[in-house]
Structures are given as C-alpha cells and as structure tokens.
C-alpha cells in the first residue's frame, strides 16, 4: 500500500454570535482537515489545529515526502517530515501540519488492520472518559456576571461534573466572576480557570491567591507560553496546580517544560503537538516525570476522536484500585462543522464520553456535508 494523494480541506463558517477570550475574538470557526489517500482506495482523516490556510500550505509542502510512501510506516514518516524542516520548523504551524498528517496515517492504519487506533497503540486502558465543559467565552454585549454564571450552572444541569472558566481580562473583575460562579454551582463542582495567557506573573499571582480557597482544579495558561519562569513564579505562590501546553510542540518542547517542573497538568493538543505518535511519546515522558496529562481539544469531530483515542491509552500514574483518571476537554462553544461533518456525532451522556470503537479514528465523515463548510 502506498500513499497516492494528500488533500486538504479548509473549513470556515461564520458564527451566529462572535465570542472572545483574553487575547482574541472568533467571528468565524474553521479548521484544516487532511485526507491521505492510498493506492488501495483506503483513505484516512486528520486535522490541524491553528490557522487553516498556513497549515494547509505546510501539508502541501510535505507532499514530496508522502507521495509513494508506505502509510503504515507512520513513525518513519514523522521523522522524515520533521527532519525536512527541522532547522526552521521545530514549533508552530509546521508541527500542526505534521499532526494532521500523522492522525490521518493512524486512521489508515486502523482501517487497514480493522482495529481502533487505541488498540494498535496498546490499549485501551479505559473505554470512556469524564468530560469537562469548555465554554464561558465573552459576548460583545451583556453582563458576564449574569450570562457566564448561568452558562456554568447549565453545564451542571446537563450532568457535567466540571467546567472551565475563562479569565485573564481584569484581576478584580475575574475574581468577582470566579466567586459568583463558585457560589452558583456549590463547593464540589469541578472548576478550572483558563487565562489564555492574558496575565503577567504579577497579576496571575494576585488572582490565584484571591481564589485559592475556592477549590480550583487548575490554573491554565496564567502567563505567555514562552514564560516558563513566570509559570514557576505563579506555581511557587499558590497551591493551585498549573496547567498549560496547548502552544507547545513535540517531545523536545515538552522536555523543557518537564525538566523545569513548570506545569502540573500537561495539555498538548493532538492536532498541534505532533499528532497521535508524538502525543503518546509526550504522555510517556509526562508519566516518567510524574506529571498529569489532559490533552487540549479544540476542533472538529476528527480532532475530538483523535483525542479520545489518545485518552484511551494515557497510562495510569501510579496504577491502583482508584487511580487518577484523565478528563476530556469537551468544547461547548459554537462550531457549526464540529459534529455536522460526522455521520454519527460524538456526544456526552451526563458528562461521560465513550471512546470510539470503530476501525481507525472510529468515525465516518459525511463528504457532502464537509463540502458545504469548505472555502476555496
Ligand atoms: Ca486553553
């Protein structure tokens, strides 16, 4: 079996209502979907996190190393692609492109062997995961103290046992919001904070110390991703665990975070950090360092099913009768293509999501629907 074609699909849809976080705003939701086609007719799907057009251009740039290659040799291909642009492409879009390609290769491998990816990766260790709700983005109008408190209470009503609250705007305002949400959902509901690196370490410490008594699960991206010293400063000043990693790439990038002991919850994105192959290696490194890992998830059903296959094989650390279990980041914000491109959507039941059991990623793509979201 040989790779005969590599296709990219640039998805983009205007949102019914723009939403924003500490450092940016979304008016559209998009994605770069990758399809790798083989000479036997088998094809596999992948997805790249990040800006769609540059990711698609990078996938195109990797084509000379892909066409004619054995798609089952996914680790060899990973190394060939990484080596091709190693000198200028160690982080960012080139690795997002490799991620989409790697996921598509694993989808082919699973279909070829008629097995789910997690089985070929040596699992599953778990067949379902507890999901936490990601949302609480800001709207252009309205009072966040009102609509965000209601949104989190709504997640609780739907059966979620945890949700993540977006902060990073203004310390005093953010503290008031965290208190209002905690008050609304009671003391035991899982509540995590995500500043989207909107603070520096001084503000992050002020925020963390003020909300520390409110049972906060983790403090995500308190400071910019390059500022590991800032992570260490915040970590030293609070008992709230640090989370981050959605802007970090490959085993080499995560090695630095782990060596520095900067982050307690590692959050590589399967569609960005190097795909399923690389995220499994990062997971095993995290395991060796005694650090928890909860993948970052922000994409269509393709990225979601890739993340679920990865979650299925994350090792227990330590194993035991009641070991700590990783959570699924379940994005609840508007993304019209997310579930629509799949013939069977992936949903939660009272906050629990089943790991797909079909061959490869375990999903089927509706090509007609996919085409309706494509631009160019
Ligand atoms: Ca985040």
């Amino acid at each position: 079996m040989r790779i005969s074609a590599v296709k990219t699909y640039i998805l983009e849809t205007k949102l019914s209502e723009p939403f924003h976080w500490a450092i940016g705003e979304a008016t559209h939701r998009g994605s770069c979907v990758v399809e790798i086609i083989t000479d036997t007719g088998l094809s596999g799907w992948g997805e790249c996190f990040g800006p769609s057009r540059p990711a698609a251009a990078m996938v195109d740039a990797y084509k000379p190393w892909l066409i004619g290659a054995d798609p089952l040799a996914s680790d060899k291909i990973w190394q060939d692609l990484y080596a091709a642009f190693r000198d200028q492409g160690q982080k960012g879009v080139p690795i997002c492109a490799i991620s989409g390609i790697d996921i598509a290769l694993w989808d082919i491998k699973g279909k070829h062997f008629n097995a789910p990816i997690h089985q070929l990766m040596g699992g599953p260790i778990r067949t379902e995961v507890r999901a936490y709700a990601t949302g609480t983005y800001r709207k252009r109008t309205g009072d966040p103290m009102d609509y965000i408190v209601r949104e989190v209470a709504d997640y609780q009503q739907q059966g979620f046992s945890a949700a993540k609250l977006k902060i990073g705007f203004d310390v005093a305002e953010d503290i008031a919001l965290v208190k209002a949400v905690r008050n609304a959902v009671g003391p035991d509901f899982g509540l995590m904070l995500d500043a989207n690196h909107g603070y520096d370490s001084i503000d992050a410490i002020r925020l963390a110390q003020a909300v520390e008594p409110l049972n906060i699960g983790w403090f995500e991206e308190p400071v910019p991703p390059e500022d590991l010293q800032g992570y260490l400063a915040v970590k030293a000043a609070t008992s709230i665990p640090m989370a981050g990693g959605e802007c970090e790439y490959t085993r080499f990038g995560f090695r630095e975070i782990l060596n520095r002991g900067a982050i307690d919850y590692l959050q590589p994105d399967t569609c960005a950090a190097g795909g399923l192959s690389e995220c499994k290696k990062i997971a095993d490194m995290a395991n060796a360092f005694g650090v928890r890992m909860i993948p970052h998830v922000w994409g269509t059903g393709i990225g979601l099913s890739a993340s679920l296959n990865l979650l299925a094989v994350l090792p227990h650390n330590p194993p035991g009768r009641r070991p700590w279990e990783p959570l699924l980041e379940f994005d609840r914000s508007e993304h019209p293509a997310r579930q629509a491109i799949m013939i069977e959507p992936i949903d939660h039941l009272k906050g629990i999501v089943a790991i797909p059991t079909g061959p490869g990623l375990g999903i089927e793509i509706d090509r007609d629907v996919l085409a309706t979201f494509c631009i160019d």
Side-chain angles (χ1 to χ4, degrees):
M1 183 166 55
R2 297 282 151 184
I3 296 172
S4 55
V6 178
K7 282 191 191 175
T8 54
Y9 303 83
I10 298 176
L11 278 50
E12 193 173 290
T13 321
K14 193 170 189 289
L15 297 176
S16 63
E17 186 178 7
F19 64 80
H20 62 273
W21 54 99
I23 56 150
E25 183 180 52
T27 57
H28 293 71
R29 215 47 205 275
S31 190
C32 170
V33 167
V34 180
E35 184 184 18
I36 296 185
I37 300 158
T38 67
D39 57 5
T40 66
L42 257 190
S43 85
W45 298 96
E47 179 172 1
C48 310
F49 178 44
S52 308
R53 282 185 185 81
M58 269 315 297
V59 171
D60 279 345
Y62 288 121
K63 271 186 191 171
W65 288 270
L66 292 168
I67 303 297
D70 174 2
L72 302 180
S74 50
D75 228 54
K76 180 193 184 303
I77 290 174
W78 198 100
Q79 291 170 46
D80 288 346
L81 301 186
Y82 186 75
F85 296 107
R86 180 174 214 141
D87 293 7
Q88 289 82 27
Q90 297 158 16
K91 291 180 192 272
V93 174
I95 308 301
C96 295
I98 292 181
S99 304
I101 293 165
D102 180 79
I103 293 166
L105 294 176
W106 274 101
D107 192 28
I108 291 172
K109 204 186 310 209
K111 289 168 177 166
H112 177 75
F113 290 111
N114 195 30
I117 291 169
H118 55 75
Q119 186 181 13
L120 298 179
M121 294 183 101
I125 289 171
R126 55 191 64 77
T127 56
E128 59 180 31
V129 277
R130 190 160 69 88
Y132 76 86
T134 278
T136 76
Y137 291 91
R138 303 290 173 99
K139 306 167 194 244
R140 287 181 178 173
T141 56
D143 180 4
M145 291 291 285
D146 173 37
Y147 65 79
I148 288 181
V149 172
R150 275 192 286 116
E151 182 183 340
V152 179
D154 193 41
Y155 294 138
Q156 192 178 31
Q157 282 295 312
Q158 291 168 32
F160 285 102
S161 53
K164 197 162 70 187
L165 188 57
K166 293 287 177 179
I167 57 168
F169 298 91
D170 170 87
V171 173
E173 220 181 278
D174 291 343
I175 292 169
L177 182 67
V178 178
K179 286 181 176 168
V181 169
R182 174 51 84 205
N183 203 31
V185 295
D188 300 326
F189 185 77
L191 192 59
M192 293 79 85
L193 306 180
D194 184 359
N196 289 102
H197 53 82
Y199 295 138
D200 62 7
S201 58
I202 295 172
D203 278 349
I205 289 169
R206 284 173 56 209
L207 181 288
Q209 291 182 341
V211 302
E212 205 172 73
L214 299 177
N215 187 21
I216 302 301
W218 69 65
F219 188 1
E220 178 172 329
E221 294 204 295
V223 295
E226 306 90 335
D227 184 13
L228 291 189
Q229 202 58 44
Y231 269 95
L232 290 166
V234 183
K235 189 178 169 177
T238 178
S239 63
I240 302 174
M242 298 292 106
E246 66 184 83
C247 306
E248 193 49 85
Y249 303 88
T250 77
R251 72 197 83 163
F252 308 111
F254 282 92
R255 176 181 59 187
E256 180 67 10
I257 291 175
L258 291 167
N259 271 332
R260 298 278 297 272
I263 289 177
D264 304 295
Y265 285 91
L266 223 51
Q267 298 172 308
D269 189 308
T270 317
C271 301
L276 284 157
S277 301
E278 197 66 1
C279 285
K280 177 65 168 75
K281 295 178 172 79
I282 294 165
D284 291 337
M285 277 180 19
N287 183 263
F289 277 83
V291 168
R292 292 179 175 184
M293 179 160 144
I294 295 183
H296 174 259
V297 187
W298 178 259
T300 71
I302 297 171
L304 179 57
S305 52
S307 307
L308 284 165
N309 273 280
L310 177 68
L311 279 158
V313 297
L314 293 186
H316 284 133
N317 189 34
R321 287 185 182 275
R322 295 171 71 177
W324 178 81
E325 287 287 344
L327 301 174
L328 168 70
E329 174 165 22
F330 207 46
D331 174 21
R332 306 279 75 201
S333 62
E334 186 184 4
H335 189 339
R338 184 196 295 124
Q339 303 276 14
I341 62 169
M342 299 196 297
I343 287 175
E344 280 187 40
I346 294 174
D347 211 347
H348 76 102
L349 194 65
K350 293 197 182 300
I352 305 290
V353 178
I355 307 285
T357 53
L361 288 170
I363 54 166
E364 263 187 276
I365 298 300
D366 188 325
R367 288 175 182 276
D368 295 334
V369 175
L370 180 74
T372 64
F373 289 104
C374 287
I375 54 166
D376 298 349

